[in-house]
Amino acid sequence: MDHLGGAGKRRPSVDEYFMDLARHVARRSTCFRRNVGAVIVKDKHLIATGYNGVPKGITHCIHTGCIRMGNPNIELYEVRPPQEIKEFFSKYREIPPGQYHELCTGVHAEQNAIIQAAYFGVSIRDAEIYTTTFPCVICARMIINSRLRRVVYDSEYVDPISEELLGESGIVVEKFLQTKKEPRQLDLRDWMAI
């Protein structure tokens, strides 16, 4: 009998486990463009989580619309007159990914995870961050100054400056690769590796 509740199941690797958690955290995102989740891990223990969305206490984009996309969400029409919405969004056009990060009310997932650790007074020095998307340059700078030692990301995000900074910093940056192992019976060695 398999220790995981049935034949054919296997225990996920450490990277799979924490990337699955980051993906789950991303489900809380309120961003229209991209749902990103991040978890910070130290000594195989979860330290902090973060997802992209507006700061605490600020009205979510699902109600106000997305400046970066150049158009509002339909819910906005319930609270503001159509002409006011049109005038506001006519000032902006869709902003390409990776540019003008300051033109967004949201906080990135990696930033929120780092902030959460600081808020609760938890050191993340020499920890690892698992993020569902490659970090932007702003997040890369925060990761570097937080002294995280490893970044594991799932999907690509083109930001050459971020790549350059992370490369120069000496932080290990790895693209997540799903393990494709055959299911097997767990034995004592699996539990010793924890």
Side-chain angles (χ1 to χ4, degrees):
M1 181 171 175
D2 194 301
H3 292 287
L4 293 176
K9 291 191 177 183
R10 69 172 179 80
R11 187 171 186 223
S13 70
V14 172
D15 283 349
E16 287 174 319
Y17 174 69
F18 288 117
M19 188 57 74
D20 284 347
L21 287 176
R23 290 176 184 143
H24 191 75
V25 169
R27 294 173 53 203
R28 291 279 303 152
S29 171
T30 57
C31 180
F32 289 121
R33 295 182 88 170
R34 179 178 283 117
N35 299 128
V36 181
V39 297
I40 297 177
V41 175
K42 194 168 187 178
D43 299 325
K44 297 182 185 177
H45 292 268
L46 182 64
I47 300 296
T49 65
Y51 54 87
N52 56 330
V54 297
K56 290 180 182 187
I58 304 300
T59 305
H60 290 287
C61 302
I62 57 173
H63 302 295
T64 61
C66 177
I67 293 171
R68 292 185 63 80
M69 289 177 67
N71 59 20
N73 182 280
I74 194 68
E75 289 184 24
L76 188 58
Y77 288 98
E78 296 173 11
V79 294
R80 296 209 175 143
Q83 188 56 36
E84 181 183 336
I85 295 166
K86 184 177 178 183
E87 288 171 11
F88 179 78
F89 282 97
S90 68
K91 297 179 207 171
Y92 305 97
R93 298 289 178 255
E94 182 164 344
I95 298 165
Q99 297 179 17
Y100 306 108
H101 292 287
E102 68 279 7
L103 294 180
C104 178
T105 58
V107 180
H108 290 187
E110 301 92 333
Q111 295 167 9
N112 269 326
I114 291 167
I115 290 165
Q116 184 183 80
Y119 182 85
F120 288 108
V122 177
S123 171
I124 58 173
R125 184 184 189 115
D126 296 323
E128 303 169 277
I129 189 166
Y130 291 79
T131 180
T132 58
T133 303
F134 187 85
C136 73
V137 66
I138 296 169
C139 292
R141 292 188 302 229
M142 291 180 73
I143 288 167
I144 293 165
N145 278 355
S146 296
R147 299 292 189 247
L148 293 169
R149 69 176 183 83
R150 181 174 177 237
V151 174
V152 180
Y153 69 96
D154 193 11
S155 63
E156 299 291 341
Y157 179 80
V158 179
D159 191 330
I161 297 172
S162 176
E163 290 178 31
E164 184 179 323
L165 289 175
L166 287 167
E168 186 178 336
S169 74
I171 293 172
V172 176
V173 178
E174 297 175 13
K175 170 91 168 96
F176 174 73
L177 298 172
Q178 188 75 35
T179 305
K180 297 192 182 208
K181 292 182 181 176
E182 291 298 315
R184 62 179 175 76
Q185 178 71 31
L186 294 176
D187 62 31
L188 184 59
R189 289 179 303 234
D190 294 308
W191 302 108
M192 303 286 283
I194 296 178

